[in-house]
Amino acid sequence: MNRPRTDARRHHDPEVRGFASDNYAGAHPEVLAALALANGGHQIAYGEDAYTENLQRVVRGHFGATAEAFPVFNGTGANVVALQSVTDRWGAVICAESAHINVDECGAPERVGGLKLLTVPTPDGKLTPELIDRQAYGWDDEHRAMPQVVSITQSTELGTLYTPDEIRAICEHAHARGMKVHLDGSRIANAAASLDVPMRTFTNAAGVDILSLGGTKNGALFGEAVVVINQDAVRHMKHLRKLSMQLASKMRFVSVQLEALLAKDLWLRNARHANEMAQRLAEGVRAVHGVEILYPVQANAVFARLPHEVSERLQKRFRFYFWDEAAGDVRWMCAFDTTEEDVDTFVAALKEEMAR
């Protein structure tokens, strides 16, 4: 039998590492193996396949008996679909000023979802009941978008974490005012690993109504999911997912990746390792005179301030992003495949550039 020919070739050096984003990492080998397992033969399209069905069982094990997963292509899609499902056309979403939905989604919640974002400045990326109340008013004022949802991020855009009690307090506060709670969990695994609690402890057990469940940053090739916890809080999720161009025809290939991460402990192993590498990086950076760590290192991110020209030289050796270029603030991210050698090599390079 003739073997199929391929002209594919590698276009990158697999030894190159950076600290720009956990999205830079490849897919975990166990996820790739799961994709191969799901391949071959025919399965019903658009989510009626065996893998998506089994994913529901896995998700309920993490997020409670009422949880239902709706796989989507990406995190922005998950957030837009989730927030649309819990708002009216005149609805608004209260979120931190630094939230991903506000600063990193190209206006998609507002332009695609038709939502008004009511932002609140926070010192550490975290909302509190008191901060929420800065925007939680005017429900009967037809001149103002109606606050209907509080959206929090776990872990936050600044790498900080909410405790389960803090999320529970937010949920109780929001629900008492007739609002629902959405959790952006693109790095939910890192949060659970750092807090050393199951994901349910700060989601369904704390009162969260709906969440965006991340996969890509934790070792998936692509794919996230909207997880509906409170079935009474949402409307027409199936239709919204299709309308928002987030319905995968060959959904088994999204679902099997999430299943591979969540069915056992791969999600936790990956997150713990990334967090540990961030702690190692922070320890090394603290020993470098003239470099300031800006926020508590609680997940897999390190935010630092250093001379602008040093960052520019260092970026020629390792990829990473400025967070606030005017202030000289940068963000360094660790991933499931970051090694101790990667971290130590980066810290050594940082010391060299600071000494120049």
Side-chain angles (χ1 to χ4, degrees):
M1 183 177 72
N2 292 329
R3 293 184 180 276
R5 179 187 172 192
T6 176
D7 291 324
R9 63 187 68 185
R10 177 170 278 162
H11 296 289
H12 78 289
D13 180 355
E15 299 302 316
V16 171
R17 291 290 199 275
F19 292 85
S21 173
D22 33 12
N23 284 323
Y24 278 40
H28 193 280
E30 292 180 39
V31 171
L32 292 177
L35 281 165
L37 183 69
N39 197 27
H42 286 200
Q43 278 282 290
I44 304 173
Y46 299 110
E48 296 184 51
D49 59 274
Y51 298 91
T52 303
E53 180 182 357
N54 190 62
L55 177 63
Q56 304 305 325
R57 178 188 63 80
V58 173
V59 164
R60 286 192 293 271
H62 285 286
F63 301 106
T66 65
E68 185 177 5
F70 294 83
V72 295
F73 290 114
N74 54 48
T76 296
N79 286 336
V80 171
V81 171
L83 291 172
Q84 282 183 292
S85 75
V86 289
T87 51
D88 295 308
R89 287 188 63 192
W90 50 87
V93 178
I94 299 173
C95 64
E97 193 173 69
S98 58
H100 198 274
I101 58 174
N102 185 49
V103 300
D104 281 312
E105 295 188 350
C106 198
E110 296 184 321
R111 294 180 64 89
V112 178
L115 301 164
K116 174 65 177 175
L117 299 182
L118 302 174
T119 64
V120 182
T122 65
D124 56 2
K126 294 163 58 175
L127 290 176
T128 64
E130 294 74 23
L131 289 173
I132 288 167
D133 280 347
R134 293 186 182 183
Q135 292 284 12
Y137 64 90
W139 286 277
D140 293 327
D141 182 355
E142 67 267 36
H143 302 287
R144 187 173 194 265
M146 182 186 292
Q148 293 185 318
V149 183
V150 174
S151 180
I152 60 176
T153 310
Q154 178 81 318
S155 57
T156 74
E157 286 300 294
L158 302 181
T160 54
L161 298 179
Y162 290 93
T163 67
D165 285 343
E166 287 173 333
I167 293 180
R168 187 175 298 108
I170 286 172
C171 291
E172 291 174 355
H173 191 76
H175 292 157
R177 284 155 177 73
M179 297 184 292
K180 303 176 183 71
V181 178
H182 163 257
L183 187 144
D184 181 347
S186 64
R187 295 188 177 96
I188 190 173
N190 301 93
S194 183
L195 293 168
D196 196 26
V197 297
M199 291 184 285
R200 71 176 70 91
T201 306
F202 55 84
T203 54
N204 54 300
V208 170
D209 297 294
I210 191 168
L211 68 96
S212 302
L213 176 65
T216 309
K217 292 178 172 65
N218 195 34
L221 180 64
F222 66 92
E224 324 281 305
V226 175
V227 178
V228 176
I229 296 173
N230 178 5
Q231 296 290 338
D232 295 331
V234 306
R235 297 186 302 275
H236 306 296
M237 267 297 308
K238 290 174 64 176
H239 296 87
L240 282 169
R241 178 173 57 175
K242 178 67 173 183
L243 177 67
S244 302
M245 299 173 285
Q246 288 291 320
L247 179 65
S249 56
K250 297 184 179 181
M251 195 181 294
R252 59 171 149 162
F253 297 111
V254 182
S255 298
V256 75
Q257 294 180 76
L258 297 173
E259 180 188 18
L261 288 169
L262 296 170
K264 294 183 179 178
D265 68 345
L266 181 58
W267 68 276
L268 187 57
R269 284 188 278 127
N270 286 352
R272 278 179 175 164
H273 178 79
N275 291 356
E276 288 168 1
M277 293 302 99
Q279 289 295 333
R280 186 182 185 92
L281 176 59
E283 290 172 9
V285 168
R286 288 190 183 99
V288 182
H289 180 71
V291 181
E292 176 190 1
I293 293 180
L294 299 174
Y295 305 107
V297 179
Q298 297 178 328
N300 62 323
V302 178
F303 289 81
R305 179 172 296 162
L306 60 157
H308 191 280
E309 63 274 12
V310 173
S311 292
E312 288 187 322
R313 292 198 302 268
L314 193 58
Q315 283 177 325
K316 295 177 181 178
R317 304 169 67 174
F318 296 89
R319 286 296 301 269
F320 61 87
Y321 294 120
F322 279 101
W323 190 254
D324 181 343
E325 191 162 3
D329 299 351
V330 299
R331 185 191 73 169
W332 298 319
M333 297 296 304
C334 295
F336 76 88
D337 63 348
T338 303
T339 67
E340 292 182 357
E341 182 181 2
D342 296 335
V343 172
D344 296 346
T345 302
F346 179 80
V347 172
L350 173 62
K351 290 178 179 177
E352 291 174 8
E353 296 300 344
M354 286 294 293
R356 285 178 58 179

